[in-house]
Amino acid sequence: MPIAILFLLGAAVLAGAAAFLYVSRFGRRRSAGNVVDLAAVRRRKLRSAQEALRNGTLPDAGVTAKRTAVPAAGAEIRRFVPKSAGASPQTCSSCQKKTDKLGFYMNDYGRLVGVCKECRKSAKNRDLMPL
């Protein structure tokens, strides 16, 4: 009889400990106090900076509105000029033929490989990564 009581008492203690661990673990999951919503912080900083600009005061350090593109002193901004159709043909890395159009891949060693239309099949069979 006393052994049965000891077993029941031990089982109750184990059940209580398991319940305590489960509840404490569940409580930690619910309260994520160390997670910060960065989007809300950014919105708050931007809003305070805009209010400061409206009031004529200086905004806090590190808070700026969207930047505008300003060229550096002496820098020249040129438009993109595409290559002309009569550009010199390039050489295929596999068969060494000159061709106008190459497909570019990365080989096993990380090198850039330019292959012609015929060699693309072999490049795909070798599982080269297309660029």
Side-chain angles (χ1 to χ4, degrees):
M1 191 67 151
I3 295 176
I5 293 174
L6 286 175
F7 279 127
L8 288 175
L9 185 61
V13 169
L14 284 175
F20 174 74
L21 289 175
Y22 178 75
V23 168
S24 66
R25 182 176 165 198
F26 181 71
R28 266 188 271 139
R29 250 192 231 157
R30 295 295 254 176
S31 65
N34 59 349
V35 177
V36 178
D37 183 18
L38 294 179
V41 172
R42 283 190 205 109
R43 273 187 255 122
R44 212 174 321 136
K45 280 185 176 182
L46 187 60
R47 196 177 311 125
S48 66
Q50 288 172 347
E51 288 174 7
L53 286 174
R54 275 190 229 122
N55 296 337
T57 60
L58 293 174
D60 295 338
V63 179
T64 57
K66 289 187 176 182
R67 295 183 294 160
T68 57
V70 179
E76 178 186 346
I77 298 176
R78 290 185 272 162
R79 300 186 112 186
F80 173 73
V81 180
K83 288 185 176 180
S84 62
S88 63
Q90 294 177 316
T91 306
C92 174
S93 297
S94 300
C95 63
Q96 305 301 322
K97 282 188 201 172
K98 298 259 184 191
T99 181
D100 293 334
K101 217 171 183 186
L102 291 179
F104 292 97
Y105 293 87
M106 290 291 270
N107 69 0
D108 299 331
Y109 302 106
R111 275 187 64 203
L112 183 65
V113 177
V115 293
C116 63
K117 193 173 183 180
E118 292 87 27
C119 298
R120 279 189 198 162
K121 293 175 189 171
S122 66
K124 287 182 181 178
N125 288 340
R126 289 174 48 198
D127 288 331
L128 298 184
M129 186 188 326
L131 296 178

